[in-house]
Structures are given as C-alpha cells and as structure tokens.
Amino acid sequence: MSGTTGPVPSFAGYQSVIGHLQSALPHNGTRTSLITSIIPSLLHSIAQIAQILRDSHVISAQGTANSFGDDQLNVDVLAENAIRAAIQHYCPSVITASSEEHPAETPVPGDHHGPDPSTSEQYTLAFDPLDGSSIIPSNWAVGTIIGLWDGTTALNQAPATKQVAAILGVYGPRTTAVLAIRLPGSASKGICLELALATSSPGGSGGHTETWTVSNPNLSLATSSSGPKTRYFSPANLRAASSDPAYSSLISGYIQHEYTLRYSGGLVPDLVHALVKGHGIYLSPVTPNHKAKLRRLYELLPVALVMECAGGKAVDEKDGTAILEREVKGEDERGGIVCGTEAEVEKAMEVLLGKGSE
Amino acid sequence: MSGTTGPVPSFAGYQSVIGHLQSALPHNGTRTSLITSIIPSLLHSIAQIAQILRDSHVISAQGTANSFGDDQLNVDVLAENAIRAAIQHYCPSVITASSEEHPAETPVPGDHHGPDPSTSEQYTLAFDPLDGSSIIPSNWAVGTIIGLWDGTTALNQAPATKQVAAILGVYGPRTTAVLAIRLPGSASKGICLELALATSSPGGSGGHTETWTVSNPNLSLATSSSGPKTRYFSPANLRAASSDPAYSSLISGYIQHEYTLRYSGGLVPDLVHALVKGHGIYLSPVTPNHKAKLRRLYELLPVALVMECAGGKAVDEKDGTAILEREVKGEDERGGIVCGTEAEVEKAMEVLLGKGSE
C-alpha cells in the first residue's frame, strides 16, 4: 500500500494546469475547490497509479497469489486506494464516493472532519480505478475513468447538468489524462483538454517532482470542412455482430469504405485514440446473447461528457438518445454506447435502428 | 541526446536473466558474447527508449518543430541512437548493423577498435527502433523489433539458421520484452521468454538501478488439448478486405465464430497480446491496392522467429511458405504475413489460398 498515501502535495507542478483552467472557465470563483484541490488531487492519484502499474511486476513477485488474475486484483485495489486516499486527504468538498470496485455510494471519511468552511462546494465522485484489466497482462495501454457530480449523490440526478467534470487517466508509454469540464449555466459545450505528466528525480534529493502540463488545450472531434484524412472505427463487443444483422452490416460498411480499424479493447485508450486523431467512432452494442457490460455511472456517463465536451456525440445504441439524458437509478446499471464524431454516430445509428444502410 | 550514452553499465541487475539463459541454452560457452554482452546491452537500450518515450512531452516542448509528425521523428531518432550507442560501446562482436530508419548495412564503428579478442562470435543487427509511430500520439503501447544474425551480413543468408535471436521491446504501462533464441544445431524449437523491467531510484544516490527479470520463462502459443478459453484475432490492413473476398470471408468467419477482436495497429503489441494470452492470429494480407508495408528484415523475420520459438507459425500470406524460409535480398524488401497459433494459421491459409472456407 506504500505510495498510495503520503504528505500533502504542494501541487507546485500543477500551476500551469490550474492557471489554464482559471482562465478557461468563466465564473471560476465559485469552483475554487474543484480547480485548485480536486482536479490536482485526482491528477496526483493518476500519477501514482502510473507508478503502481510500472512496478506491478514487483507486486506480482511479492504477492501471495500465483495466478495473474489475483495479481490484477491487487493492482485494481492499489489503484482504488490511490484515488480514495487523494479525496480523503486533500478534498474536503468531495462528500460522497463510489467506484466500480465498490459500487455503493458512501460518505468520504475525510481526515478533515467536516466540510471545508472556505467553500460551499459539494461533490460526488464516481470512478473506475483501472479499466481494461484484460489487457494489463499484455502490457497494452489502460485507463482510469472518473466522473464528478455536483451535490451529495449521483443517483437520480440529471447527468447533463449535474455531472460537471470527467477525467480519463491514460497509462501507456507516457502518462496522460483527458479532462472535460462543463459547468451548469455555461452556454458553451464545455472544455476538453489533454494533459501530460512529467516526473523527474532531482539528483541527491531522494524525492521527485511531478509536473502536469496542458499538452492539448482543445481536443476536438469536430470534423473540419475538408473531412478527416483517415477515418477510424472501434467496434467493441464485435461478437454481437454474429447475431445482429444491423451491426454486422455496419462493420461491412466500414471495411468497404476503408475505415481504419483501431480496437484495443480498453474503453479509455479506444476513445482517447479518436480524441487525439480528431476522428473516430466507438460502438458497443448490446444483444440478448451479448449483454451490456459497461457501467453507466462509472464508465458511460463520464466518457459521454468527454465526448460532448470535445464536440462529439454519445448515444444509447438502443434508441439513439443521448447517454447524458437518462438518470442513473442504481450503481450497477449497464448499457451500450455509440460515440465519437457526430456525423459518424448519426450514420451508425441510422443503420443500427434500421432506418438506413451504411 | 543525453541519456542515450553513458558509463558502461555493470549489468548487475541483469544477472537473473543471464543466469537463466546460461542454463536454458545448451553449449552456451560458444555464445558468451551473445548472452553476457549483446542481450544485456540491447535490454539496456530498451530501458532507455522507455525513458525517452516517457519524457517525450518534454522533447515536444523543447523541439523546434510544432507539428507532432516532426516530434515523432525526434523520438524515432533518439530510439535509434540508443540502440546504436549500445552496440557501439558494449558489443564488439556486433560487426554490422542496419535499421528501418537507415536501411543499409554498415560496419559498426565501435569504440573497441577491432573485434573482441576473447571471442570468435560475429553478429549482424537488424532493427526497427520504434515501431507503431501512428499510435504514439494517442499514448498506446508501441515497440522495438530487433533481429540478430550470425555473421557479418543478414543479406542472402538462410534466415531459419542464421537469424539466431530476436527481441521485442514493449512500451506500455510497464516496460517488458520478449526474447527468442534458436541456435543452429539445436534440435529444439528454441526458447521464448518474457522479461520485465524494474527501475528504482535509491534515495540520495542520484542514480538508479535497472533490473530485468524473467517474468515468463516459456511464452507458448501451443494450444492445450482442451483448447483456449478465448480465441483472439488481429486483422491488420483490414481495408484490403474491401477488395479481397477471401480476406473478407475470413473476417466474417471470425465474427461468426465469436473470436475476440484485439487490434492496436502496432505489430509488437498485437503479437505480444497473442503470446501472453497463449492464443491468437495476426493477419496482414497484401492486395494490388493495399501494398505490403512490413519490412522483411526489420519486422517480419524477427517476429517470425519469435512466433516459431513460442511454438507458433509465421507464413507468407501469398503462398503459405514459412517467413523464415526465404532469404532477404535487400534491406527494403516488404511482404505480408499470417502468424500466431499454428492451427489458426493453417485454417486461415486454407481460406486465403482458396482451398477452404472459414
């Protein structure tokens, strides 16, 4: 468990991100805690999870279990602890939290003994500490998904206005993060940034500095008028196409029209690929034989906010309604999704709903 | 360029790998240089490339170019330099080298002034320093591919006996490597291991130790009698299916039989996924409209050795002959490949060659 707690970070290496958010968000004065404490704390836990994953051979070697399955669980638990510790130690305004590992909303114990007197902000955190465990053994990029809600619960709330921020941690050759924020009352679609972590170990100090910078201030899925050079598709749950003629015909259409396939099987890397390339469509349909696996609260709602803030679209594949339109009634609710570049989502939904052919 | 050269490493953290190889390889006394100097040096350069990639935001920020394309080139060059420096400084028995970045065999300059008097070993290195540049921006796992040949050239040599070792560096959340060795005269199929890097910065020392361990001594694609639980497919160059009915029917077959899709678009991660899961098929066919992109010397031949040493198969998709059967006439030769689990490769080739249907 070492490494998941520690001294209060100074966040000295976070100032450029904090400064960027303060100028990008109007009326940020009412969101002091969000900008100066919660987001830096969560980015700090993402840096810690990156380190946990990098050391996970050692974890395996020291663990009591021999099978990789149990070792994975170990990494999941450490990732969960890193995020729980961050909000417990540094974020008095996060009142409630739940995660895919512990899918029940509970009060955050808090070292701080009561709400932060300097702010009236109150938030609820819903997170998937480590998404993509099936591809951890093969050393593929994986991610963390975090949704942040106004108020003391995420249940039975209007996601479109109450889920105010989402963070995706991306653990690949580098450590990066995608941050989306859309505050209620703001007329804009929201902001969507890519952040990059740099760590350095100053000689002789025994410590290290952790610096996050804004590597892309505007991740955008909005297609330029000339159209994208390369079009990408990412078909999850592809086995469903064996019993779903509409999905099968959609896939054939992408191949026929020479879309480029990129599908890692990790929700975070698959969506981040589209965001970084500026184009892409991700599909995860559901059939009677291929049930929904993605959790609405811990996966679908945060990524839907990211997609919308980047100018893209995220809809329920059953009826084409926006993912963010429907409230979450329970922590274990699951569903399908089609998301990415708006025009691609619309074309795909026409095929999936039987109104057109690709 | 800092970080690509440095003091001669002691390889203290490599002893468990070296010891493992000494006991796994019969007659290793004639391969002292290969086991105790070349493989550790190349693993050292893989650790350096991991660090280069981790710092590549900084490289971007400090670079003179603004576009990511040029920054990528920068990372490619640094990776190339790391490997060239390793063989130049620490490997007197590597006489010749060429890379995908500089595809012409040239003598290794060598700080060592002439061949190593302690050994009669002579090797040629052929490598792709950083494979998968299209997925570096999205922070997906990428890799390094290295082939090591007996003698002073890889051209016009029998690959099956002259290419004695291959290394794949895997840069994901962790840094891992796949090492395959098959020595001439050995009756065995060869050995295929997974290695894992751990680095630590001892407090106050200002330096760091680099430890490679054998995380899996036997990567195997040989299917158990009960068959694999999950079957994976990785269809490269999928756009070719739009004009190749055999490829198209093969893909439909995988979907119909509910194979699981995993396709990152990086040759190294895609093959390592199959190796780690113990099952998989990777296909990269060629059509008149979708020309071969994979270099035989820098990509196909090293990965074919890895596949065979793991008990798998790697064939030319045009005629089903083993990739390792045909000599390389020139550094820029390219081709297609079908590789992975033997039974899957055979089934796929029946369809691609028009003798059967999936």
Side-chain angles (χ1 to χ4, degrees):
Chain A
M1 305 292 175
S2 74
T4 59
T5 62
V8 176
S10 69
F11 296 134
Y14 294 62
Q15 292 310 318
S16 77
V17 172
I18 292 170
H20 182 93
L21 295 178
Q22 283 168 334
S23 51
L25 296 170
H27 317 301
N28 65 72
T30 60
R31 298 288 180 171
T32 307
S33 180
L34 173 68
I35 295 173
T36 63
S37 124
I38 299 176
I39 288 170
S41 300
L42 293 171
L43 290 174
H44 177 58
S45 66
I46 286 170
Q48 290 180 306
I49 294 169
Q51 189 62 49
I52 288 165
L53 286 170
R54 201 167 299 140
D55 294 341
S56 63
H57 307 298
V58 181
I59 291 170
S60 303
Q62 291 178 340
T64 52
N66 290 317
S67 79
F68 207 94
D70 289 344
D71 292 337
Q72 279 322 109
L73 180 63
N74 207 348
V75 178
D76 284 342
V77 169
L78 293 174
E80 163 111 13
N81 290 349
I83 294 172
R84 296 248 180 208
I87 54 173
Q88 181 168 339
H89 296 322
Y90 317 131
C91 305
S93 57
V94 175
I95 311 298
T96 312
S98 70
S99 78
E100 202 188 25
E101 297 284 309
H102 294 96
E105 289 194 338
T106 52
V108 175
D111 300 343
H112 32 75
H113 310 298
D116 185 350
S118 68
T119 174
S120 59
E121 292 166 80
Q122 290 195 317
Y123 297 100
T124 292
L125 200 73
F127 65 102
D128 181 358
L130 204 46
D131 190 69
S133 41
S134 75
I135 50 176
I136 289 178
S138 52
N139 200 13
W140 284 27
V142 291
T144 290
I145 306 173
I146 302 173
L148 193 75
W149 297 66
D150 264 344
T152 57
T153 178
L155 302 181
N156 305 305
Q157 306 294 312
T161 53
K162 287 303 186 74
Q163 190 189 226
V164 293
I167 305 180
L168 309 179
V170 191
Y171 313 106
R174 309 184 298 281
T175 302
T176 56
V178 170
L179 169 62
I181 305 181
R182 185 170 57 195
L183 300 177
S186 159
S188 81
K189 66 173 171 55
I191 60 173
C192 187
L193 334 164
E194 185 195 50
L195 309 176
L197 173 67
T199 55
S200 62
S201 305
S205 78
H208 75 286
T209 59
E210 193 179 287
T211 307
W212 283 94
T213 51
V214 178
S215 48
N216 185 337
N218 184 25
L219 287 172
S220 173
L221 286 167
T223 312
S224 67
S225 58
S226 60
K229 264 198 313 199
T230 308
R231 294 174 297 177
Y232 298 94
F233 76 115
S234 194
N237 202 7
L238 185 58
R239 288 175 291 189
S242 66
S243 56
D244 181 340
Y247 193 27
S248 176
S249 118
L250 199 53
I251 300 298
S252 303
Y254 292 130
I255 295 174
Q256 214 57 44
H257 291 96
E258 304 208 353
Y259 280 53
T260 294
L261 175 68
R262 288 284 183 270
Y263 179 67
S264 77
L267 181 61
V268 170
D270 283 335
L271 298 189
V272 168
H273 184 275
L275 290 166
V276 169
K277 294 290 185 180
H279 180 275
I281 179 156
Y282 177 93
L283 310 106
S284 183
V286 176
T287 70
N289 295 327
H290 300 86
K291 297 213 189 310
K293 280 193 288 189
L294 297 171
R295 265 81 167 182
R296 295 194 69 233
L297 182 55
Y298 307 115
E299 296 172 304
L300 295 185
L301 289 164
V303 305
L305 181 65
V306 170
M307 291 287 121
E308 291 197 2
C309 287
K313 203 167 174 176
V315 304
D316 189 314
E317 49 82 49
K318 277 197 317 295
D319 56 12
T321 56
I323 292 285
L324 292 176
E325 205 174 294
R326 196 154 50 85
E327 296 176 3
V328 180
K329 302 286 182 195
E331 289 94 341
D332 197 44
E333 266 182 32
R334 304 176 191 213
I337 188 172
V338 172
C339 66
T341 301
E342 183 168 5
E344 297 289 351
V345 172
E346 285 165 3
K347 270 197 291 184
M349 288 313 299
E350 280 183 15
V351 177
L352 290 179
L353 297 178
K355 294 176 194 155
S357 67
E358 169 61 1
Chain B
M1 304 293 173
S2 73
T4 61
T5 63
V8 176
S10 68
F11 295 134
Y14 293 63
Q15 292 309 320
S16 77
V17 172
I18 293 170
H20 182 93
L21 295 178
Q22 282 168 334
S23 52
L25 296 170
H27 318 301
N28 66 72
T30 61
R31 298 290 180 170
T32 307
S33 180
L34 173 67
I35 294 173
T36 63
S37 123
I38 299 176
I39 287 170
S41 300
L42 293 171
L43 290 174
H44 177 59
S45 65
I46 286 170
Q48 290 180 305
I49 294 169
Q51 189 61 48
I52 289 165
L53 286 169
R54 200 166 300 140
D55 294 341
S56 64
H57 306 299
V58 181
I59 291 170
S60 304
Q62 291 177 341
T64 52
N66 288 319
S67 79
F68 207 95
D70 289 343
D71 292 336
Q72 278 321 110
L73 180 63
N74 208 349
V75 178
D76 284 342
V77 169
L78 292 174
E80 163 111 14
N81 290 350
I83 293 173
R84 297 249 181 207
I87 55 173
Q88 181 168 339
H89 296 322
Y90 316 130
C91 305
S93 57
V94 175
I95 310 299
T96 311
S98 71
S99 78
E100 202 187 27
E101 297 285 309
H102 295 96
E105 288 194 339
T106 52
V108 176
D111 300 343
H112 33 74
H113 308 301
D116 185 350
S118 69
T119 175
S120 59
E121 293 166 81
Q122 290 194 317
Y123 298 100
T124 292
L125 200 74
F127 65 101
D128 181 357
L130 204 47
D131 190 70
S133 39
S134 76
I135 50 177
I136 289 178
S138 52
N139 200 13
W140 284 27
V142 291
T144 290
I145 306 173
I146 302 174
L148 194 74
W149 297 66
D150 264 344
T152 56
T153 178
L155 301 180
N156 305 304
Q157 306 293 313
T161 54
K162 287 302 186 75
Q163 191 189 225
V164 293
I167 305 181
L168 309 179
V170 191
Y171 314 107
R174 309 184 298 281
T175 302
T176 55
V178 170
L179 169 62
I181 305 180
R182 185 170 58 194
L183 301 177
S186 160
S188 82
K189 65 173 173 53
I191 60 173
C192 187
L193 334 164
E194 185 195 50
L195 309 176
L197 172 68
T199 55
S200 62
S201 305
S205 79
H208 74 287
T209 60
E210 194 179 286
T211 307
W212 283 93
T213 52
V214 178
S215 47
N216 185 337
N218 184 27
L219 287 172
S220 173
L221 287 166
T223 311
S224 67
S225 57
S226 61
K229 264 198 311 201
T230 308
R231 295 174 298 178
Y232 297 95
F233 77 115
S234 194
N237 201 6
L238 185 58
R239 287 175 292 189
S242 66
S243 57
D244 181 341
Y247 193 28
S248 176
S249 119
L250 199 53
I251 300 298
S252 304
Y254 292 130
I255 295 174
Q256 214 56 45
H257 290 95
E258 304 207 355
Y259 281 52
T260 294
L261 175 68
R262 287 285 182 271
Y263 179 68
S264 77
L267 181 61
V268 170
D270 283 335
L271 299 189
V272 169
H273 184 274
L275 290 166
V276 168
K277 294 290 185 180
H279 180 276
I281 179 156
Y282 178 93
L283 310 105
S284 183
V286 176
T287 69
N289 295 329
H290 299 87
K291 298 214 189 307
K293 280 192 287 189
L294 297 171
R295 267 78 169 185
R296 294 195 69 234
L297 183 56
Y298 307 115
E299 296 173 303
L300 296 185
L301 289 164
V303 305
L305 182 65
V306 169
M307 290 288 120
E308 291 197 2
C309 287
K313 204 168 173 175
V315 305
D316 189 315
E317 50 83 48
K318 276 198 317 295
D319 55 13
T321 56
I323 293 284
L324 292 176
E325 204 173 294
R326 196 154 50 85
E327 296 175 3
V328 180
K329 303 286 182 195
E331 289 94 341
D332 198 44
E333 268 182 30
R334 303 177 192 213
I337 188 172
V338 173
C339 66
T341 301
E342 183 169 5
E344 296 290 350
V345 172
E346 285 165 3
K347 270 197 292 184
M349 288 313 299
E350 281 183 15
V351 176
L352 290 179
L353 298 178
K355 293 177 194 155
S357 66
E358 166 64 2

